[in-house]
Amino acid sequence: MAIDEKGDGYRDEEALKGVDSNGRRSDEKNLGTVKSSPSKASGDPFGDESNSAVKYKTMAWWQAGMIMIAETISLGILSLPSVLAEIGMVAGIILIVGLGALATYTGYVIGQFKLAYPQVHNMADAGEIMLGSIGREVFGIAQMLFIVFVMGSHILTFSIMMNTITGHATCSIVFGIVGLVVSLICTLPRTLKKVSHMAVSSFISIIAAVLITMIGVGVTKPGHNVVQATVHTPFSKAFLATTNIVFAYAGHVAFFSFISEMKEPESYMKALYLLQGADVSMYLIVAAVTYRYAGPDVASPALGSTSGILPKLAYGIAIPTIVIAGVINGHVAAKYCYVRLFRGTNKMGQKTWGSFGRWGIIVLLLWTLAWIIAEAIPVFNDLLGLISALFASWFTYGLSGVFWLYLNYGRYRESGRKMALAALNSCIFLIGLAICVLGLYASGTAIAEDAKSSNGSFSCADNTKESS
């Protein structure tokens, strides 16, 4: 791995060996896969922007990093203290650090794949390169389902937040609709650079909220100093807790989109290191401190672990991160649809009422679908576990192993380092598969059990208790 010519990025020269200036492998005909880059998915996803009214490739590396932080450090961090309560302090810390380190490596591989194939804007484009049109559709559907489920999670958290602040002043469905409208309005800007301005406030918001939570539980000590290094937990509940850690690192699905809107994609590694340094350290501190003082009965989301006025204060301060993290995912989903529909046309760079209307309709449809999902599966942890098992297992871990194996096809035995990396990435693929299969079992079991005591789908009842 070497520093690139600009000195601000990293390039795996072996992985990129044989890739031409258009992102095509010179030995692609020998890969045994369908050829990539059909006409509509070839070249830069935004084309030549010199005469465009809307310019997308404008983000500096730190702006991309802030968007990645805002997208990733939100819902995940709220569930981590309860993970330690389920599986114990020792196992929880090991998994947070271990999965975080692995997520850093898989994020690096995504960056290498993007450098090798600059035309990739999303997971569907990556699937098209490896598997042709079938890969494009399968990966695209999976990406959209995952992101819409994440959007639904944020609407659900918004309704929980409103019920906490107002003391369940009205029907929970109404609060969900309010969350839908707020999120829709904030998703209307068409470029990620504009969204990055909101990302900074999201980061400040989550830091302030968790500080209030940690100080609150540190003063009241609701856990009575009960901390368990290890816990005997049924397999389904223990693995459901593990999927919540996976979800905490589940931002990888949007990385291709983020890199595509950077001024200098080669500086992506700086943004990745900023993200991973922030999320691993914050996850460790928040999970360990909150669990240390809140004890085995710590709430999920963790902001509910405080008492008195503090839950309302913490949730109020957390409003920006609850909304903006969902907005970033909503933007990525809408951008996928927009690029898919108008790639290669002058509509991509237009700034007209027609272009604004097309973008607005896509955003409206996606947030409406997300609201339906939020109302249909109202139990917070089970929703996190389900989407982690189905999608984050692949987008954060499993597929990155496939990307590396594809980039290095035919060169696995060139050196001892190559053989070790081939083994590592094969294991990463298997880890993704295991998380998916076992996580689906655990999530299905949890949903079946909790459905008996749940208020049910599309309920006006207070959902703050169900989230804990």
Side-chain angles (χ1 to χ4, degrees):
M1 188 167 68
I3 304 290
D4 72 355
E5 293 179 352
K6 296 180 181 179
D8 57 2
Y10 299 85
R11 297 175 68 88
D12 188 334
E13 299 300 341
E14 291 185 55
L16 301 181
K17 188 174 170 184
V19 177
D20 65 21
S21 59
N22 293 318
R24 299 262 315 192
R25 290 276 299 270
S26 59
D27 60 344
E28 194 170 57
K29 63 183 179 181
N30 298 320
L31 288 176
T33 59
V34 181
K35 284 189 177 184
S36 65
S37 303
S39 59
K40 200 167 183 181
S42 61
D44 188 286
F46 302 114
D48 182 6
E49 295 187 324
S50 57
N51 296 317
S52 296
V54 178
K55 293 178 170 55
Y56 297 94
K57 296 176 287 185
T58 55
M59 284 199 299
W61 71 266
W62 66 268
Q63 291 171 318
M66 289 308 302
I67 278 191
M68 292 163 73
I69 289 172
E71 180 221 10
T72 304
I73 306 179
S74 182
L75 290 180
I77 201 170
L78 305 182
S79 66
L80 294 183
S82 67
V83 171
L84 270 59
E86 287 285 356
I87 63 179
M89 179 77 84
V90 174
I93 289 176
I94 290 173
L95 284 173
I96 289 173
V97 175
L99 289 174
L102 194 59
T104 304
Y105 175 73
T106 56
Y108 164 78
V109 173
I110 287 174
Q112 293 305 302
F113 196 89
K114 171 66 176 177
L115 290 176
Y117 296 96
Q119 69 268 37
V120 172
H121 173 262
N122 46 58
M123 288 291 176
D125 290 344
E128 184 176 25
I129 284 171
M130 295 187 295
L131 299 170
S133 58
I134 294 177
R136 178 186 63 199
E137 302 307 329
V138 171
F139 282 41
I141 291 171
Q143 176 175 353
M144 287 300 295
L145 284 174
F146 175 54
I147 295 179
V148 171
F149 263 72
V150 172
M151 293 161 64
S153 294
H154 284 272
I155 290 181
L156 175 59
T157 306
F158 186 92
S159 68
I160 293 171
M161 175 268 297
M162 290 298 294
N163 272 317
T164 301
I165 292 176
T166 66
H168 187 50
T170 189
C171 175
S172 294
I173 295 177
V174 173
F175 288 141
I177 294 174
V178 172
L180 182 157
V181 173
V182 172
S183 300
L184 188 157
I185 292 172
C186 292
T187 311
L188 290 178
R190 257 200 292 168
T191 65
L192 280 171
K193 183 175 182 178
K194 291 182 178 178
V195 178
S196 71
H197 301 152
M198 294 187 281
V200 176
S201 63
S202 173
F203 183 53
I204 295 172
S205 165
I206 192 63
I207 289 179
V210 297
L211 280 175
I212 290 173
T213 300
M214 290 189 291
I215 292 171
V217 298
V219 172
T220 59
K221 296 182 175 62
H224 305 291
N225 295 320
V226 176
V227 176
Q228 297 172 295
T230 58
V231 177
H232 179 71
T233 305
F235 174 79
S236 61
K237 288 188 175 181
F239 207 86
L240 183 61
T242 301
T243 59
N244 285 344
I245 299 178
V246 173
F247 184 80
Y249 295 112
H252 291 51
V253 67
F255 284 4
F256 284 135
S257 298
F258 297 156
I259 302 171
S260 295
E261 296 198 34
M262 293 178 68
K263 285 186 291 188
E264 298 177 347
E266 296 83 3
S267 63
Y268 155 75
M269 286 305 298
K270 290 183 180 179
L272 178 66
Y273 290 147
L274 176 62
L275 163 68
Q276 292 302 110
D279 64 12
V280 174
S281 58
M282 283 188 65
Y283 292 164
L284 276 176
I285 294 170
V286 174
V289 172
T290 305
Y291 173 60
R292 164 67 177 80
Y293 293 106
D297 294 325
V298 60
S300 176
L303 300 181
S305 297
T306 53
S307 58
I309 194 65
L310 288 182
K312 295 183 179 182
L313 178 61
Y315 263 119
I317 291 176
I319 291 175
T321 193
I322 291 171
V323 172
I324 295 168
V327 165
I328 294 172
N329 282 282
H331 183 101
V332 171
K335 187 66 67 63
Y336 166 82
C337 297
Y338 201 78
V339 171
R340 180 73 181 266
L341 291 171
F342 305 116
R343 188 175 197 158
T345 72
N346 59 6
K347 292 183 175 64
M348 284 298 301
Q350 285 181 347
K351 193 173 184 179
T352 64
W353 283 111
S355 62
F356 181 79
R358 289 187 289 268
W359 174 261
I361 290 172
I362 292 172
V363 169
L364 173 62
L365 292 175
L366 289 173
W367 277 113
T368 301
L369 180 58
W371 173 78
I372 293 172
I373 290 173
E375 294 297 335
I377 311 176
V379 183
F380 187 81
N381 266 352
D382 294 348
L383 180 58
L384 290 179
L386 180 66
I387 61 180
S388 295
L390 274 174
F391 304 114
S393 55
W394 293 110
F395 290 132
T396 303
Y397 297 107
L399 283 181
S400 289
V402 177
F403 292 155
W404 188 94
L405 293 171
Y406 183 86
L407 282 173
N408 294 274
Y409 183 84
R411 302 198 299 275
Y412 305 152
R413 299 183 181 180
E414 283 185 354
S415 64
R417 177 175 175 273
K418 278 287 187 187
M419 288 189 286
L421 286 173
L424 170 64
N425 284 277
S426 297
C427 288
I428 289 173
F429 169 79
L430 294 176
I431 289 171
L433 178 63
I435 293 173
C436 179
V437 174
L438 298 176
L440 282 175
Y441 165 75
S443 299
T445 302
I447 289 174
E449 292 176 354
D450 292 343
K452 300 173 184 177
S453 58
S454 170
N455 289 323
S457 301
F458 298 97
S459 171
C460 275
D462 187 352
N463 57 9
T464 56
K465 300 299 182 184
E466 289 188 0
S467 67
S468 61

